[in-house]
Amino acid sequence: MNARSHAIRVGLRRGWTEFLISLRNPEDLAFYLMWGGGTVAYLLLNRNVVVEGTGLAFPTVALPGLIAAMTVFGATVGPAFSLVIEREDGTLLRAKAAPHGMSGYVAGQVVLQVLGVVPMLAVLLLPCALVLDGVMYQGAFGWFMLVVLILLGFTASMPIGLIIGSLARKPSHVSTWGMFPVIGLTLFSGIFGPVTNHPGWVQGVVQVFPTYWLGTAMRWAFLPDGAKAIELGGTWHTPMAVVVLLAWSVVGLLLAPRVLRRMARRESGSAVEARRQERMQRLG
Amino acid sequence: MGDAVITVRDLRMRYGTNDVLDGVDFEVLRGEVVTLLGPNGAGKTTTIEILEGFRDRSGGEVQVLGVDPVSAPEQWRAGVGIVLQSWRDHGKWRVRDLLAHLGAYYEPYGTPSRPRPRQVDELLATVGLAEAADQRVSRLSGGQRRRLDVAIGIVGRPEVLFLDEPTAGFDPEARREFHDIVHALVDLEDTTIVLTTHDLDEAEKLADRILILADGRIVADGSAAALARAASGKAQVTWSVGGQQYVHAADDATAYVRSLFAQYGDELTDLEVRRTTLEDTYMALVHRTEHGAARTRSAAETEGVR
């Protein structure tokens, strides 16, 4: 167990190194600027729209939900793509060859993906804070809850991402089974407008998944109490949100290690080589 | 030397109805360099991956460092080094950072006689990457990349090292340097090494012992010289008399040549005595396995003076 915690510490440092590498990587920076910048532009273009029933500007109401959506997206799709790509290029096999290397690898992924939220938050929050009248109405408590909810969002979503990444055989599977479903859920989870705009069955479906609950909890953490008028039934649902997110966390943290172990057991030099050949053919 | 680091008994591997390994037996002693030689599809990679603990087997017993690799605890990995044929992992990492990171996993397993991990800059110098230490991995040439693979394989100062086709794609100079590294590991640290190769010359240069794998079985096990003796025990004598060329496979080449001189005297020209090479042995053994033993044996017996 001591050796295992040593490997996890090695993995935490690995995550930090990978985060620094990603900050220097033009592709990752372009991703932050395009998605973050595009979202900010959309918000600021609608800054004079007032959300009915709250008296608040559209960007103020939408921002917490967008942070929630990006947290769930990053925590699910990020590790899923990492896992499938790094299984293909042999990174995972390297980890498997070292003592407790897989524990270190997963620890590194957690650090990398959680830290990956920080630049995105900066790109979203800084311009909005400068241009809008108000972003955070709950003061220090609200900022604290932002951090807590992001971490809760991660424990609820990241195991799903790791499971998708373990089951996917190639990156396009992650798009099909991870990225598109998450984007689809986001569209109907009350992030861009009240969830009551959608048919009842759609409301039922989105209430199974983390995005809706993290969104409503995030609005509770950011917005003045009056904003609850636009929530379902005109009230906050924070305790229920915490219960649902914790339930996802427990199920995910029970399942993910098993799925990861099963996936890792199958890794070998010839498995990597076979996927490499397959990839060569795919790319022509 | 002395104690067995690797023991394999009746190892079997079956995919569907295809027996890739069909009862493989061998032992590797501490400090030995053993080469697995064989045609494509003979089961070399499968065997080495089973020893690495990267693959389940269908049957038989396997022990590496006293433990069954399938159920080995993680600490077992500290004693086992694997040189992987990397493709493009960790491309954005700097060479020194990557070695330091992967080496750090071995820190809890160091002993006074086997400090772990290896000191990174010394290791970089050993494999000839000192000048590339601050480069990104993706900028390395193919040869440098393979040296990094070797460095990663030995950063934990393993007791047993596995290499699957380690010099594929090396130029002759890189191959030579690689051989020097292997010899140093064995001489200085008593490392046990198992490698696979297609290259007969490499097998002969590196290995204390060669295992020839054909058709899912070990068909020969011994030093290059012993294998050559076992395969035919004969040397090939060729000569010419009066423009006519002759060949004879002789048990005792010296006596045979003496008799040739006695018989032909000055008429004897173009005399050549050739020992059976590892290549001849290999070809004969693989051919014999693949085409059935009887035919090859009768062909060998009828071979004589033409």
Side-chain angles (χ1 to χ4, degrees), chain B residues 26-55:
Chain B
F26 64 91
E27 271 194 352
V28 181
L29 305 181
R30 184 168 298 277
E32 251 191 324
V33 181
V34 170
T35 297
L36 281 175
L37 202 61
N40 282 336
K44 301 190 297 289
T45 297
T46 302
T47 304
I48 213 162
E49 287 188 348
I50 288 169
L51 296 178
E52 290 167 348
F54 281 179
R55 193 180 276 266

Side-chain angles (χ1 to χ4, degrees), chain B residues 208-266:
Chain B
D208 298 319
R209 203 145 58 82
I210 295 168
L211 304 176
I212 298 181
L213 202 57
D215 218 22
R217 290 167 172 280
I218 303 274
V219 297
D221 177 351
S223 68
L227 288 189
R229 273 198 304 279
S232 73
K234 294 181 183 193
Q236 195 178 51
V237 182
T238 58
W239 72 94
S240 300
V241 172
Q244 176 79 32
Q245 207 183 345
Y246 298 90
V247 181
H248 178 77
D251 288 316
D252 182 348
T254 314
Y256 190 79
V257 169
R258 196 181 297 123
S259 76
L260 283 177
F261 275 112
Q263 193 177 345
Y264 300 110
D266 291 345

Side-chain angles (χ1 to χ4, degrees), chain B residues 173-224:
Chain B
E173 196 191 340
R175 186 174 300 235
R176 177 101 170 239
E177 285 168 3
F178 169 78
H179 292 176
D180 291 343
I181 294 173
V182 169
H183 287 304
L185 286 174
V186 177
D187 294 344
L188 302 178
E189 296 177 6
D190 218 17
T191 311
T192 308
I193 297 180
V194 178
L195 65 144
T196 70
T197 184
H198 282 303
D199 186 341
L200 296 158
D201 182 49
E202 178 162 282
E204 199 162 3
K205 282 205 176 99
L206 279 179
D208 298 319
R209 203 145 58 82
I210 295 168
L211 304 176
I212 298 181
L213 202 57
D215 218 22
R217 290 167 172 280
I218 303 274
V219 297
D221 177 351
S223 68

Side-chain angles (χ1 to χ4, degrees), chain A residues 3 6 10 14 17-18 21 25 88-89 91 93-94 96-101 104-105 267-270 279, chain B residues 49 54-55 74 77-78 84 86-90 92-93 101-102 104-109 136 145 149 152:
Chain A
H6 171 84
V10 172
R14 173 193 175 82
T17 307
E18 294 233 274
I21 288 173
N25 182 23
E88 197 167 71
D89 71 19
T91 305
L93 196 57
R94 288 249 188 262
K96 194 184 164 188
H100 291 293
Y105 174 83
E267 285 309 297
S268 67
S270 48
R279 187 190 149 93
Chain B
E49 287 188 348
F54 281 179
R55 193 180 276 266
E74 284 287 318
R77 291 248 160 250
L84 294 163
S86 70
W87 174 26
R88 29 169 245 179
D89 62 288
H90 294 98
K92 286 165 189 152
W93 285 62
H101 163 63
L102 292 172
Y105 283 112
Y106 297 87
E107 277 162 13
Y109 307 96
R136 300 244 185 124
R145 179 89 221 214
D149 291 337
I152 292 171

